[in-house]
Amino acid sequence: QVQLVESGGGLVQAGGSLRLSCAASGRTSSINDMGWFRQAPGKEREFVARITWGGARAYYADSVKGRFTVSRDAAKNTVYLLMNTLNPEDTAVYYCAARPIDSSDFGSWGQGTQVTVSS
């Protein structure tokens, strides 16, 4: 199993930036890629970004492309989500998730971290 712990959420004004972190532990050798998702009040959880565990490829939702950057520190088994030019529509609980090599699903999830963007 893989355990994930997010951190870095908070309150920021529109136009500001935040960096979220997701520390992975446990069977990290089984991870194929890591994803960031978010869920706003009253809405379904949506994909934000993902990165291959080797760090070679990153993918983004259209709504965050050009503003958010996902990266990985291999030595720390940590994935980051740098969020720039935040707007109130980015307000949500952000979750990181791990997808195993032998699965098409993100099977391990963190507890989530709240991001609130004020106008």
Side-chain angles (χ1 to χ4, degrees), residues 68-106:
F68 291 11
T69 303
V70 61
S71 62
R72 181 206 170 201
D73 184 329
K76 296 181 178 180
N77 280 338
T78 299
V79 173
Y80 302 98
L81 184 68
L82 176 61
M83 306 183 293
N84 293 323
T85 320
L86 285 161
N87 58 64
E89 289 70 39
D90 295 315
T91 295
V93 177
Y94 284 71
Y95 299 89
C96 68
R99 187 169 70 85
I101 294 171
D102 58 352
S103 174
S104 60
D105 298 324
F106 286 88

Side-chain angles (χ1 to χ4, degrees), residues 22-46:
C22 175
S25 60
R27 292 189 61 212
T28 58
S29 60
S30 68
I31 298 174
N32 188 69
D33 53 10
M34 296 284 292
W36 284 98
F37 297 79
R38 66 186 182 186
Q39 187 166 21
K43 295 186 177 181
E44 293 186 354
R45 185 170 59 196
E46 64 175 358

Side-chain angles (χ1 to χ4, degrees), residues 56-68:
R57 297 183 180 180
Y59 306 87
Y60 299 92
D62 288 342
S63 59
V64 307
K65 200 172 294 183
R67 300 188 298 124
F68 291 11

Side-chain angles (χ1 to χ4, degrees), residues 7-18:
S7 61
L11 173 64
V12 64
Q13 289 188 332
S17 300
L18 279 175

